[in-house]
Amino acid sequence: MKKFFIVVTLLVASFSSAQITVKGVVKDSIGEALELANIIAINKETKAMASYAITNDKGFFKLDLDKNTVYTVQVSYIGMQTVSETITTKEVDITKDYTLQADNALSAVELTYEMPVTIKGDTLVYNADSFKDGSERKLEDVLKKLPGVEINADGQIEVEGKVVTKLMVNGKDFFDGDSKLATKNIPSNAVDKIQVLRNYSEVGQMSGVTNNQDNVAINIKLKEGKENFWFGDITAGSGVADTDGLYLVQPKLFYYSPKYSVNLIGDMNNIGEVALTNRDIRNFGGGFRAPSRSSGTNINLGNNSLNGLTNIANAQEVVTKLGAANFSYAPQKNLDLSGFFIYNSSRLRTREESFVRYTNSDLGIPDEETVQVGREASNQALAKLSASYKPNVNNQLDYDILGRVSNDLETQDLFSSVVGSTNQLDKAKPFSINQSLNYYYTLDEKNIFAFEGQHLFKDEDPFYNALLGNTTDPDVQDPYDNTAESLGLNQNQLGYDVNQNRRIKSNQLDAKLDYYHILNNKSNINLTLGTILSRQQFNSNIFQFLDDGTFFDPVATLIDPVSGNTLVNQNDTDYNFSDVYLGLHYRLKTGKFTITPGLSVHSYGNKNTQFGEEYKDNFFRVLPDFETRIQFKKSESLTFRYNMNNSFTDVTNLAEGLVLNNYNSIGYGNPELQNSLSHNVNLSYFSFNLFNYTNVFAVINYNKNIDQIRSLTQFDNVIRTSTFFNSNFADESLSAFGRVQRTFKKIRASMRVNYSYSKNNQFIQGIRSVNESFTQGYTPEIRTNFKEAPNVSLRYGYTVTKNNQGPTSTTFTVNAPSIEFDAYILKAFTFRTDFTYQNQKGVGPSQSFQTWDASLAYRKDRDAKFEFELKASNLLDIDSRVSNGANNISVFSSETFIQPRFVTFRIIYSL
């Protein structure tokens, strides 16, 4: 591997040495430097664009050109006459300045080539063809080659370090802006322009009175000929594995016209290649954002679905089906209708072996080894309808409704070195309906009103069952006997058949009315009147089936060590929360500064009722916030933010009856829990230099929690019982993340660095311990971007994490070099391969694994309708991946078994 890295580096260096630099300054007729002027060099022999540049704030430009070659250089600037001249390169660099004259008529020289990158106000426009080499198939393949654009580990698009919040195609939302669906499915040959919309605001009326600097959207402009025609591709493939046959069918069809659009995505395979995972769909927000997101109040409604659903990459067997449809329709100029429907079905088989060492070895909690073999079945569906009515520039009315339903089942056979064998079953059929109504009204040039309202209804019904072994011999103590006695189970059985029903209903209304008064073109005042009204109902009961199949209602004997009360196996809790708040913000622009101080005054009301008792907590609180932004240049800024947040828990942490979280985890709530308060500080720096394509961003976050809700945990062997309380000890966290990316001719180099520190207070067996974690990570990467030659990407990830859990300290180290290679050969073959090696040290001995995938595709030419592909995954046929980690109560090492080597042959038909 090292030798290969050296060879690639030498090849890149030799290519760079075969070029010279043409540099100079572009000015206007009175000698003023022109920023953002465009310079193009066209090879006279091949007629191809060889290089391009954009001038910096001093008018300076630089072109990298081959030696001993004749070029036509064109220099252009908006409102100026284009200059064109011929230059011949030799063995030395060239210095050449240009002066442009005002254009009082049509320019005599027209540009024959489009600039790869142009700037139009806050919009950065990439010409997609300028970055393609023929190996691209999907939108993500193009995006990875654009300067300043990244695809992160979660499949999200990042521009200048900011996550893209919305993605559109020809100005129309693509599945409500979901970037992962777009990058994985839109064919690259349909993409003409990629428009990056910085400081993006969905409502034009609000763009001048709100801070939108963190909002980035992307609009994909389709090529001519793609409108009013269906386009896309259909993939069909099959292959062989050790025992079963493999299949894959993936139709992806798109239709766009000025009046309406239709997107259809299908997927059916048993290979594990999916457009969206279960977790992606579960986190699919549908474009909803809470009106109270900046109010300073956070209320958690909880998530009681099956959170344990496995990542598809960590499954031994995967069978999935996906159907997705998205439409937009404009029946008239001022009305837009849109919506989508997604259905996903998956069946997984999993296996994981783990070693767990619990925190603070002085407490006598034994180490545990586990082997888990499971099966999961999930059926999920969600649908959304949206309407936007804009009768004129002063009015906009938006309505959205999103429905979501799922049917999930997970079974697990588990062996614990401490507890023995356990069979577990989790199932749930949750559903939710989310609605939003927004209205924006501009009274006049000085006064703007905005109403945002959202209602959410959720109904969750998780069921849990555990079968544990038991011996009826009174002289033998089973590991679960003490827990069974605490729960009141019948212990005269051959096994424990423990069950739990839960039902959680949540209703929440979140609404606010904003008034903006524009004082002048530099400042405005914002008044906000808002409310959050929430109600949650929680019911649960624990019961047992005896050996003869009869129902048994156990009576718990467990005593709460804090209150001294005997706990029960049922819950019947009604929780009501209200927040009425008034906010005031002042926004001022002065020179390079944008300053936005503000505060909100809140009247809170909490009431939970259970077992005939009522617990209330009503109070007022003032929450300040502050933001200052320094705009050094159009693409360089420094932002400081501070805010104080009030956080409230969900009903499950308040309900004082016992709840089975797992076979080895029992919890109960505290009806007297109060809110926690946090101080949050953020400092962020962004810079994107188009002159030398240097992209820099850095973010520092600090968080301090006061009265944080923490857990009190008691262990019996490895079976823990936990409750909650407001800790008097503050928890803190500090994180820093940065990336520097620079393009050197045809090479793009980057370095990612991240640091994080956290301090949490943990309470186990009645003893307080301070858990500290410090992580540092470094990821250098080098990537080539040749138009004709093969391209390679080299990356090295190095991470060190030190965890101090009480007197126990553990250090985790991860080394992960990787390489990606792609080549477009003979203008017909596309070869791709990627290899990753990962070595981990932490709990136990050092462990490593490697992954290697490759594909070879053939199509007659770029316009061919058919393509044939041979694709292999897990070429080394490894059985498992290893990982080390830590949580608040333990450190662990796990081995997750994955799919074997798959080789498939595919036919792709392009419309």
Side-chain angles (χ1 to χ4, degrees):
M1 177 64 71
K2 291 181 179 178
K3 292 181 179 179
F4 184 78
F5 282 6
I6 293 172
V7 170
V8 172
T9 303
L10 291 175
L11 287 173
V12 170
S14 65
F15 177 86
S16 300
S17 65
Q19 292 187 312
I20 60 100
T21 298
V22 177
K23 59 185 178 181
V25 176
V26 179
K27 300 179 181 179
D28 62 15
S29 58
I30 61 173
E32 293 290 331
L34 294 176
E35 183 180 6
L36 303 180
N38 297 326
I39 303 94
I40 299 176
I42 303 167
N43 187 303
K44 266 210 160 185
E45 181 180 352
T46 65
K47 307 300 182 185
M49 185 177 65
S51 184
Y52 67 96
I54 297 175
T55 57
N56 64 7
D57 57 332
K58 296 179 174 57
F60 190 77
F61 73 91
K62 183 174 65 174
L63 297 170
D64 295 314
L65 301 175
D66 293 340
K67 296 177 181 178
N68 303 311
T69 309
V70 181
Y71 295 95
T72 297
V73 174
Q74 294 181 341
V75 184
S76 63
Y77 188 82
I78 297 175
M80 299 285 183
Q81 293 182 16
T82 298
V83 171
S84 179
E85 74 169 18
T86 300
I87 65 170
T88 302
T89 60
K90 301 297 184 183
E91 297 289 329
V92 295
D93 294 344
I94 298 174
T95 300
K96 177 70 177 176
D97 297 337
Y98 293 94
T99 300
L100 303 186
Q101 303 295 325
D103 188 8
N104 298 319
L106 291 176
S107 178
V109 179
E110 295 183 0
L111 290 179
T112 55
Y113 286 85
E114 290 192 73
M115 282 290 294
V117 186
T118 55
I119 296 179
K120 300 177 181 178
D122 284 332
T123 302
L124 191 64
V125 182
Y126 295 94
N127 181 44
D129 285 344
S130 300
F131 299 91
K132 297 177 184 177
D133 64 5
S135 64
E136 304 82 12
R137 294 297 181 271
K138 299 301 178 184
L139 175 61
E140 67 174 344
D141 300 326
V142 181
L143 293 174
K144 290 177 181 178
K145 298 180 178 181
L146 306 182
V149 180
E150 293 279 328
I151 305 292
N152 65 23
D154 296 323
Q156 299 170 312
I157 306 172
E158 290 183 3
V159 176
E160 301 172 21
K162 303 171 186 176
V163 174
V164 171
T165 56
K166 178 180 285 289
L167 190 142
M168 299 169 284
V169 178
N170 278 8
K172 298 177 173 63
D173 285 359
F174 187 87
F175 284 92
D176 264 305
D178 183 79
S179 61
K180 189 172 182 179
L181 257 181
T183 59
K184 297 285 186 184
N185 294 285
I186 295 177
S188 60
N189 60 8
V191 179
D192 181 29
K193 300 288 191 301
I194 299 168
Q195 300 173 331
V196 176
L197 312 175
R198 297 178 290 189
N199 301 321
Y200 177 73
S201 174
E202 291 195 52
V203 183
Q205 301 157 261
M206 309 298 294
S207 59
V209 295
T210 55
N211 294 330
N212 303 302
Q213 57 267 20
D214 288 335
N215 297 338
V216 180
I218 283 182
N219 181 45
I220 305 299
K221 293 289 291 182
L222 298 176
K223 288 188 173 182
E224 290 186 17
K226 296 300 181 182
E227 284 200 351
N228 300 313
F229 290 96
W230 284 96
F231 68 94
D233 54 62
I234 301 172
T235 302
S238 65
V240 292
D242 293 339
T243 55
D244 300 320
L246 305 175
Y247 61 88
L248 177 142
V249 179
Q250 293 179 332
K252 301 170 183 179
L253 306 175
F254 312 94
Y255 182 91
Y256 282 83
S257 71
K259 197 168 186 178
Y260 66 91
S261 67
V262 178
N263 304 296
L264 302 174
I265 298 174
D267 179 21
M268 183 171 63
N269 74 81
N270 64 348
I271 301 172
E273 294 183 18
V274 296
L276 287 175
T277 66
N278 293 328
R279 292 185 179 183
D280 289 335
I281 294 176
R282 187 149 295 165
N283 296 327
F284 201 95
F288 281 82
R289 295 190 301 166
S292 62
R293 58 190 175 274
S294 58
S295 69
T297 298
N298 295 320
I299 178 169
N300 179 18
L301 295 183
N303 184 355
N304 298 281
S305 56
L306 301 192
N307 294 324
L309 288 176
T310 302
N311 187 322
I312 283 179
N314 294 329
Q316 280 186 299
E317 182 181 306
V318 180
V319 179
T320 60
K321 298 176 183 177
L322 172 77
N326 171 221
F327 81 94
S328 66
Y329 175 55
Q332 55 192 54
K333 194 172 182 180
N334 54 15
L335 178 63
D336 288 309
L337 305 175
S338 62
F340 66 79
F341 174 79
I342 300 175
Y343 172 77
N344 184 67
S345 172
S346 66
R347 303 292 183 267
L348 309 181
R349 179 169 59 86
T350 63
R351 178 183 176 90
E352 183 177 76
E353 299 180 5
S354 303
F355 171 78
V356 182
R357 186 175 69 222
Y358 290 93
T359 182
N360 200 337
S361 56
D362 296 342
L363 299 178
I365 305 170
D367 296 340
E368 183 182 23
E369 295 182 25
T370 63
V371 178
Q372 304 176 51
V373 178
R375 287 190 175 274
E376 299 176 8
S378 177
N379 298 285
Q380 302 177 78
L382 60 158
K384 182 183 180 185
L385 289 174
S386 302
S388 180
Y389 179 59
K390 302 176 185 178
N392 51 56
V393 295
N394 295 324
N395 290 270
Q396 179 172 331
L397 178 66
D398 299 330
Y399 174 75
D400 303 275
I401 181 170
L402 172 70
R404 185 190 305 265
V405 63
S406 67
N407 184 357
D408 303 323
L409 174 68
E410 179 180 5
T411 61
Q412 194 175 84
D413 297 332
L414 183 144
F415 177 80
S416 164
S417 60
V418 178
V419 178
S421 296
T422 303
N423 296 326
Q424 299 184 100
L425 180 146
D426 288 274
K427 63 180 180 179
K429 294 181 180 180
F431 74 90
S432 65
I433 298 175
N434 202 346
Q435 299 180 79
S436 72
L437 178 67
N438 303 327
Y439 177 59
Y440 307 94
Y441 172 59
T442 301
L443 177 64
D444 52 43
E445 62 181 13
K446 294 287 187 179
N447 301 282
I448 299 175
F449 296 87
F451 171 80
E452 296 180 10
Q454 189 175 136
H455 178 262
L456 171 65
F457 173 75
K458 291 201 304 182
D459 191 344
E460 301 164 297
D461 62 344
F463 170 79
Y464 176 73
N465 168 258
L467 299 174
L468 299 102
N470 180 41
T471 176
T472 56
D473 188 341
D475 297 326
V476 178
Q477 178 76 15
D478 279 337
Y480 204 74
D481 280 350
N482 290 337
T483 303
E485 182 179 356
S486 298
L487 294 175
L489 302 179
N490 186 327
Q491 296 179 265
N492 298 316
Q493 305 295 310
L494 296 177
Y496 296 113
D497 187 344
V498 189
N499 304 267
Q500 176 181 253
N501 282 316
R502 284 188 289 164
R503 187 73 176 267
I504 307 96
K505 291 184 178 181
S506 304
N507 270 283
Q508 185 181 85
L509 175 66
D510 188 344
K512 70 170 182 174
L513 176 66
D514 279 303
Y515 167 65
Y516 296 90
H517 180 64
I518 301 171
L519 302 173
N520 50 55
N521 60 357
K522 299 270 185 195
S523 62
N524 65 73
I525 294 175
N526 170 216
L527 291 173
T528 304
L529 176 63
T531 185
I532 305 173
L533 302 174
S534 174
R535 183 187 183 190
Q536 287 190 292
Q537 298 166 285
F538 177 45
N539 293 277
S540 73
N541 68 298
I542 298 172
F543 58 95
Q544 180 184 8
F545 284 116
L546 305 182
D547 291 346
D548 60 4
T550 58
F551 175 90
F552 179 69
D553 189 8
V555 177
T557 62
L558 187 66
I559 296 177
D560 181 2
V562 177
S563 66
N565 297 329
T566 300
L567 299 170
V568 297
N569 286 330
Q570 294 82 29
N571 278 296
D572 185 5
T573 305
D574 197 343
Y575 172 44
N576 291 275
F577 169 84
S578 67
D579 173 24
V580 178
Y581 61 91
L582 181 66
L584 172 64
H585 289 84
Y586 174 67
R587 185 169 178 259
L588 171 67
K589 288 185 176 182
T590 172
K592 297 181 179 181
F593 291 83
T594 301
I595 304 170
T596 312
L599 58 84
S600 54
V601 181
H602 296 255
S603 173
Y604 292 110
N606 290 285
K607 182 178 74 172
N608 74 85
T609 305
Q610 44 189 317
F611 303 115
E613 294 192 46
E614 191 175 272
Y615 303 86
K616 289 184 178 181
D617 184 21
N618 303 317
F619 63 97
F620 287 88
R621 176 150 290 164
V622 177
L623 301 176
D625 60 88
F626 180 80
E627 178 179 308
T628 296
R629 178 180 175 86
I630 308 173
Q631 193 76 44
F632 300 107
K633 301 175 185 176
K634 198 168 191 63
S635 294
E636 183 181 14
S637 65
L638 179 68
T639 304
F640 172 82
R641 295 186 183 91
Y642 166 79
N643 64 72
M644 185 184 294
N645 278 350
N646 233 5
S647 297
F648 297 84
T649 188
D650 71 305
V651 67
T652 58
N653 288 344
L654 298 170
E656 56 185 334
L658 293 170
V659 172
L660 295 175
N661 300 312
N662 208 329
Y663 78 96
N664 63 351
S665 175
I666 302 170
Y668 59 96
N670 179 353
E672 298 183 359
L673 277 181
Q674 299 178 346
N675 64 286
S676 65
L677 190 68
S678 66
H679 299 275
N680 307 283
V681 178
N682 170 272
L683 183 66
S684 56
Y685 172 79
F686 300 94
S687 173
F688 184 48
N689 189 331
L690 272 174
F691 166 68
N692 55 19
Y693 291 105
T694 300
N695 179 25
V696 180
F697 74 89
V699 180
I700 300 174
N701 291 296
Y702 172 74
N703 172 270
K704 183 175 183 179
N705 287 301
I706 302 170
D707 293 330
Q708 176 76 353
I709 296 176
R710 306 303 300 175
S711 61
L712 287 169
T713 304
Q714 296 289 326
F715 273 88
D716 176 25
N717 286 316
V718 296
I719 301 170
R720 59 186 180 272
T721 304
S722 302
T723 189
F724 306 94
F725 77 110
N726 291 101
S727 171
N728 293 324
F729 302 96
D731 294 342
E732 297 178 88
S733 65
L734 175 66
S735 64
F737 176 75
R739 187 187 72 192
V740 179
Q741 185 186 91
R742 176 74 182 269
T743 299
F744 303 89
K745 299 183 179 180
K746 296 295 183 180
I747 305 165
R748 189 172 75 185
S750 66
M751 168 66 86
R752 289 176 177 262
V753 179
N754 65 279
Y755 301 95
S756 64
Y757 169 80
S758 64
K759 183 182 76 172
N760 297 312
N761 293 274
Q762 191 68 32
F763 299 82
I764 301 176
Q765 311 293 71
I767 300 174
R768 171 184 171 241
S769 64
V770 178
N771 294 352
E772 293 182 294
S773 175
F774 176 67
T775 299
Q776 50 184 318
Y778 310 90
T779 309
E781 181 180 6
I782 185 170
R783 177 193 295 269
T784 64
N785 192 16
F786 301 127
K787 291 281 287 185
E788 304 294 337
N791 285 294
V792 64
S793 172
L794 306 175
R795 177 184 296 183
Y796 189 91
Y798 177 73
T799 306
V800 178
T801 302
K802 184 175 182 180
N803 280 284
N804 297 319
Q805 296 181 321
T808 305
S809 179
T810 308
T811 300
F812 302 99
T813 304
V814 178
N815 292 272
S818 65
I819 180 171
E820 295 181 13
F821 177 87
D822 67 80
Y824 188 47
I825 306 167
L826 301 176
K827 296 185 178 181
F829 294 92
T830 300
F831 175 70
R832 293 181 176 183
T833 185
D834 60 86
F835 176 83
T836 301
Y837 171 84
Q838 189 169 117
N839 177 267
Q840 300 196 26
K841 297 179 182 178
V843 182
S846 173
Q847 297 173 296
S848 64
F849 65 91
Q850 308 95 41
T851 58
W852 183 21
D853 302 327
S855 67
L856 179 65
Y858 167 79
R859 61 181 178 184
K860 186 177 180 180
D861 52 52
R862 295 192 186 192
D863 297 324
K865 293 291 186 181
F866 283 94
E867 182 174 12
F868 306 93
E869 183 180 31
L870 186 66
K871 190 169 186 178
S873 59
N874 192 8
L875 275 167
L876 300 178
D877 202 23
I878 63 169
D879 295 326
S880 59
R881 294 190 177 104
V882 294
S883 62
N884 293 278
N887 53 39
N888 287 335
I889 62 172
S890 65
V891 294
F892 58 87
S893 172
S894 64
E895 182 179 12
T896 303
F897 290 80
I898 62 173
Q899 294 181 109
R901 180 195 298 122
F902 285 164
V903 179
T904 55
F905 176 75
R906 309 173 186 202
I907 300 175
I908 302 104
Y909 176 73
S910 298
L911 277 70

